[in-house]
Amino acid sequence: MQLLIRTVITGEHNRMFARVTPLDNPGYQRMLATSAYEGLRVSGVNEEYMSSAEVARLAQVARPVVTTWRRRHQDFPVPVPNGGGQLLYSANSVLNWLLATGLGNTEPETLRAERDMNTLTAYARKHGGRRMLLSLSAALALRHLAGRALPADLLSFAHRLDPDDEFLLSDLREAAVPAVLPQLVEQLIEGAYDPSRAHQFLLGNAARLGWPELNAHALTASLITLIRMIADLPGRLHPAGHLTIGDPWAGPGDLLAALLPGQEPETLRFTAAQPDLTLARLIRRRLLLSGVPEFAVDVVPDELNDEFAEADVIVTRLPYQPAELRDTVEDLSKIGDIADRLGPGRTAIVVGPAAGLVDTLRDTDAIAKRAELLTQGFVEAVVRLPGGVFPARPGHPAALWVLTRDPIRATEGRVFLADLSSADLDERGARTVAEDILLWRAEGFRPGDGHESRTGQVVPLTALDLRRGTALRPSASGSAIVRARQAADRPALIGEAERRLTEAEQEAISYGVKHGPLTTRAAQRDGARPKAIFLGALRAARRVRQLPGHRLSPSHVTPRGHYRVLGPAEVLAPSSKRWIDRLILNTEYPHALLTEPGDIVVTSAPRFGALLDESGLSVIEFPARGLRVVPGSGLTPRVLKALLDIADNTTRSPSAVRPQRLHDVTIPDLSGDEVARLDDVLRRLDERERLLRQQSDLLTELRGLAVTGFADGTLTTLYGTDS
């Protein structure tokens, strides 16, 4: 029976394949043309097939477009025989054809990622996902150690580089078809830019490749952010410039590797416990490929031994157990064992089941054990986490404990409690919680100084009724605490908004007095209508210069940074919520251009739109592009943007193969005198619109504050009273 490929396009593919070889690169074309790539199919990799509907979904076009391609393009892949009455195409042939022709609406990076996944999925289906992942992971590590393409005789080469079988030898011995591994490795590196990113891509897609158990205990990205910020690795570096991190229940090592982004791998040492020799080798490979030196990784078979006493930071997850088999006393005892091994000033961050860590307890032994841990004075914070922090186990409620040996005196007898069970723990929320915990760790209890927590409460241990096993939760949830503080501040916020509204009204009045009523002196124009001109013709006449858009990795675009990012989202719904750091831009995108004041950002997907960048110093994100008016061209940025808003040829049929091309857009070719007159009108309209929008925004803010305050019963007015 033929097997259909599932064309799952994920954001992870785009992140991992943000930096790829361009399609027109000669080396890439040679790779496609040589028999090395084709040899993957004849060396033990099954063929995959796609239906016409799946081709359409992959290319992001309507279903009839595929039929049109098949009829009009002689080089379109030929259907395979014996399709069971359905047209089926070779998936590799379709992906290569889409990459070579550039047809469809799917980005080349996504197509390359899908092609790699297609090859790997076929290989895994034949030889087993776990076996394939381990052998290919080992081959990537060998490629990293060698620094060059792998030879045909992998085992002899691996034995020379890893004679003690600490990293890869056994996994290569168990490979199903060792001869295919060098080709698969080079294919992955071709798409992912280097062995490290290829390895991350491989392990991140373990479930799709047939080994879902590998990432069964993985945590969400926002929780990883919370753990990374609480660990505060940069602030813990020794004067000698090194730091030791431990995980007594390391699993596949994903939690340790998650702490590496933004750090210098050469400064870190790792101690992990993993009795499974296969996973122990995987942990060493994962850290090795992330830049950690070989000698800096120590994986031991014991769960928790005295070696962890040397760790500056311990991050771990308590091993998962079904509710029927879970022993709360055992979980709390494991936390106690970690606390016993913490040195002065060292920290442990533990994620475990909420049933024992924060919920109400009924077992007397568990009550006594939790009370003992809390009263010993090294539990800094207890956080009830929202549901779903284990994506593979969405019904497993979890909590987080932060422990520190010998905390500052101002924290004595108190603990920080936060309940995020009803919150949406996104990246911003994780940062807020981490900042509250770090402030509590640094300053302790300081009532009335304006440093109150935004997400939790500092609670005396005597108020928790530990001997009865009551739940470890603040008197109000984090969201309720924030709402209460907002309610207390609401009268002041309203007063401030009223003051700014008065200032905006006075500014508008002053502008009206100075410039008088708005009058454009509009009159009927005689003569022929202006001729239409293509943007392509404006470019050819050097009246307008086109600026390229840049392909940015989503991981590099954040809510904070130095340069604004302007893509289709910002053009179609103007906002400035995405930024990129100056250092990342200079190192990762050295050829990126910044906009100048007056540049226009244009996009044609998902629909046409134009945005005038008045301040400049922005980065244009592909598929958006930029237009820069050349001085002396008879155009102004304000007029060109206004004409683009009413331009012809800016729409396309939903079933169109290609998006509307920018150089085909037509605008009226106004004379220099008409451009000057229109620019003057637009300038005066823009200024008055700015004044009115400023007042409108303040009125909207006042309306929201007043309605919310009256609705929740925390606000009233003194209307009708002497006050």
Side-chain angles (χ1 to χ4, degrees):
M1 182 178 66
Q2 304 289 4
L3 296 173
L4 302 182
I5 180 174
R6 298 184 180 273
T7 57
V8 180
I9 307 298
T10 65
E12 183 175 4
H13 289 167
N14 292 334
R15 288 195 299 272
M16 293 304 304
F17 288 81
R19 297 183 62 182
V20 295
T21 303
L23 184 61
D24 57 356
N25 184 286
Y28 185 76
Q29 295 287 3
R30 285 196 299 273
M31 188 276 290
L32 291 179
T34 58
S35 59
Y37 180 76
E38 296 297 328
L40 294 178
R41 295 204 299 267
V42 299
S43 300
V45 178
N46 281 347
E47 181 64 283
E48 293 282 325
Y49 301 104
M50 305 176 70
S51 67
S52 297
E54 289 173 318
V55 174
R57 287 197 295 271
L58 176 63
Q60 299 183 34
V61 297
R63 168 63 181 80
V65 174
V66 178
T67 303
T68 302
W69 287 344
R70 186 167 61 88
R71 292 174 178 174
R72 294 184 179 178
H73 297 273
Q74 295 182 355
D75 59 342
F76 190 80
V78 178
V80 298
N82 302 322
Q86 184 182 20
L87 291 178
L88 296 176
Y89 306 92
S90 165
N92 278 329
S93 299
V94 169
L95 289 162
N96 287 334
W97 185 83
L98 290 173
L99 281 168
T101 61
L103 296 176
N105 300 317
T106 304
E107 295 297 327
E109 294 90 341
T110 303
L111 292 174
R112 293 188 186 100
E114 188 64 24
R115 185 182 60 190
D116 291 341
M117 285 302 301
N118 169 41
T119 302
L120 297 177
T121 302
Y123 186 86
R125 183 176 292 116
K126 182 175 182 179
H127 302 292
R130 177 188 171 98
R131 188 181 187 185
M132 185 275 291
L133 272 169
L134 290 173
S135 60
L136 192 51
S137 166
L140 282 168
L142 186 63
R143 173 68 166 78
H144 172 76
L145 291 171
R148 57 184 175 86
L150 296 176
D153 188 3
L154 285 182
L155 292 181
S156 299
F157 190 52
H159 191 272
R160 291 200 302 271
L161 294 183
D162 185 28
D164 297 327
D165 194 18
E166 292 186 350
F167 292 90
L168 48 87
L169 187 58
S170 292
D171 296 312
L172 289 178
R173 284 173 177 165
E174 297 175 1
V177 188
V180 177
L181 293 180
Q183 302 172 37
L184 288 174
V185 164
E186 294 307 317
Q187 179 181 342
L188 276 173
I189 296 175
E190 178 73 24
Y193 188 73
D194 59 29
S196 176
R197 296 187 183 188
H199 195 253
Q200 295 174 31
F201 169 76
L202 180 70
L203 298 185
N205 288 278
R208 186 177 174 187
L209 294 173
W211 192 11
E213 298 83 5
L214 180 66
N215 295 325
H217 304 291
L219 304 175
T220 58
S222 55
L223 181 54
I224 292 295
T225 298
L226 175 61
I227 294 173
R228 186 188 298 124
M229 291 193 66
I230 295 174
D232 189 24
L233 299 185
R236 294 178 179 274
L237 280 177
H238 295 300
H242 68 273
L243 189 69
T244 302
I245 304 172
D247 187 348
W249 294 280
D254 57 315
L255 191 52
L256 291 175
L259 299 178
L260 282 167
Q263 312 300 324
E264 294 293 337
E266 297 81 4
T267 65
L268 302 179
R269 307 289 185 269
F270 290 90
T271 300
Q274 177 51 262
D276 188 324
L277 295 180
T278 299
L279 291 181
R281 289 191 297 271
L282 182 60
I283 293 173
R284 296 188 186 101
R285 289 198 297 268
R286 191 192 288 263
L287 297 175
L288 175 70
L289 284 162
S290 297
V292 180
E294 300 176 42
F295 61 83
V297 180
D298 184 19
V299 183
V300 297
D302 302 327
E303 285 188 348
L304 191 64
N305 54 38
D306 292 337
E307 292 187 25
F308 288 91
E310 302 299 324
D312 299 284
V313 178
I314 293 178
V315 292
T316 192
R317 295 158 300 201
L318 297 182
Y320 170 80
Q321 291 290 337
E324 297 80 5
L325 304 177
R326 191 174 301 142
D327 188 340
T328 301
V329 176
E330 182 181 353
D331 289 339
L332 294 170
S333 297
K334 290 176 179 177
I335 296 179
D337 292 340
I338 293 174
D340 291 340
R341 288 171 171 80
L342 285 179
R346 294 173 176 174
T347 293
I349 305 168
V350 183
V351 177
L357 272 60
V358 296
D359 289 348
T360 302
L361 298 177
R362 303 188 183 280
D363 181 80
T364 55
D365 293 337
I367 293 174
K369 186 63 179 178
R370 192 166 76 179
E372 177 188 354
L373 291 174
L374 288 166
T375 53
Q376 285 179 353
F378 48 72
V379 181
E380 277 190 328
V382 177
V383 181
R384 169 81 185 220
L385 298 171
V389 294
F390 288 88
R393 307 184 190 278
H396 179 51
L400 179 144
W401 275 29
V402 182
L403 305 93
T404 296
R405 173 71 67 177
D406 297 336
I408 64 173
R409 188 176 299 275
T411 64
E412 186 176 349
R414 300 175 185 272
V415 65
F416 177 87
L417 299 182
D419 182 6
L420 307 179
S421 57
S422 59
D424 182 14
L425 187 64
D426 54 9
E427 293 288 320
R428 182 177 179 181
R431 291 180 180 275
T432 304
V433 178
E435 289 168 359
D436 286 343
I437 294 176
L438 292 176
L439 185 63
W440 160 244
R441 173 187 297 165
E443 299 186 351
F445 185 60
R446 295 173 56 182
D449 64 352
H451 287 185
E452 290 85 358
S453 167
R454 295 162 291 177
T455 57
Q457 289 179 320
V458 176
V459 179
L461 292 175
T462 55
L464 293 177
D465 201 4
L466 298 177
R467 297 303 174 184
R468 298 181 59 184
T470 56
L472 303 180
R473 296 183 183 179
S475 57
S477 65
S479 58
I481 294 171
V482 172
R483 287 196 300 269
R485 295 201 175 118
Q486 288 176 342
D489 296 338
R490 197 168 286 131
L493 294 174
I494 290 178
E496 174 64 18
E498 290 172 343
R499 183 189 62 78
R500 288 186 287 134
L501 178 60
T502 301
E503 292 178 353
E505 291 172 341
Q506 291 298 326
E507 183 182 1
I509 293 172
S510 299
Y511 183 88
V513 171
K514 180 178 180 180
H515 297 278
L518 175 64
T519 174
T520 60
R521 298 181 181 178
Q524 183 69 37
R525 176 182 179 274
D526 296 328
R529 296 181 59 185
K531 294 182 179 180
I533 186 171
F534 291 101
L535 281 182
L538 287 175
R539 289 179 54 199
R542 298 186 178 181
R543 298 173 62 186
V544 172
R545 176 187 171 192
Q546 182 169 318
L547 308 177
H550 305 287
R551 301 180 187 274
L552 306 178
S553 171
S555 61
H556 295 158
V557 180
T558 61
R560 300 177 181 177
H562 300 93
Y563 300 124
R564 292 181 303 165
V565 174
L566 300 180
E570 286 75 19
V571 173
L572 300 176
S575 63
S576 300
K577 297 181 180 179
R578 299 194 305 150
W579 299 75
I580 189 169
D581 185 83
R582 178 173 53 227
L583 180 61
I584 292 178
L585 183 69
N586 292 334
T587 55
E588 299 291 335
Y589 312 97
H591 303 296
L593 297 176
L594 295 176
T595 62
E596 296 179 358
D599 286 347
I600 300 171
V601 184
V602 183
T603 183
S604 55
R607 66 180 188 275
F608 185 84
L611 172 69
L612 178 61
D613 185 10
E614 297 181 353
S615 58
L617 289 181
S618 302
V619 181
I620 302 175
E621 184 182 31
F622 185 85
R625 286 163 288 180
L627 296 174
R628 180 174 295 168
V629 175
V630 177
S633 63
L635 281 173
T636 66
R638 189 181 288 111
V639 169
L640 179 57
K641 195 279 182 181
L643 294 179
L644 287 173
D645 288 340
I646 62 168
D648 295 329
N649 301 338
T650 59
T651 59
R652 65 186 180 111
S653 170
S655 60
V657 175
R658 291 182 181 272
Q660 176 62 42
R661 293 179 294 185
L662 183 59
H663 64 268
D664 289 336
V665 175
T666 60
I667 63 172
D669 189 11
L670 302 179
S671 66
D673 179 66
E674 290 172 320
V675 168
R677 294 172 185 271
L678 178 56
D679 187 79
D680 180 66
V681 171
L682 294 175
R683 178 184 55 78
R684 288 188 284 164
L685 292 175
D686 289 345
E687 182 62 25
R688 290 180 182 265
E689 183 181 6
R690 181 190 65 81
L691 295 172
L692 293 174
R693 185 181 296 113
Q694 185 177 1
Q695 296 180 56
S696 176
D697 292 343
L698 289 169
L699 289 171
T700 301
E701 181 181 346
L702 279 170
R703 182 190 299 273
L705 290 170
V707 172
T708 304
F710 272 85
D712 61 20
T714 60
L715 185 71
T716 187
T717 66
L718 301 179
Y719 177 76
T721 68
D722 293 337
S723 301

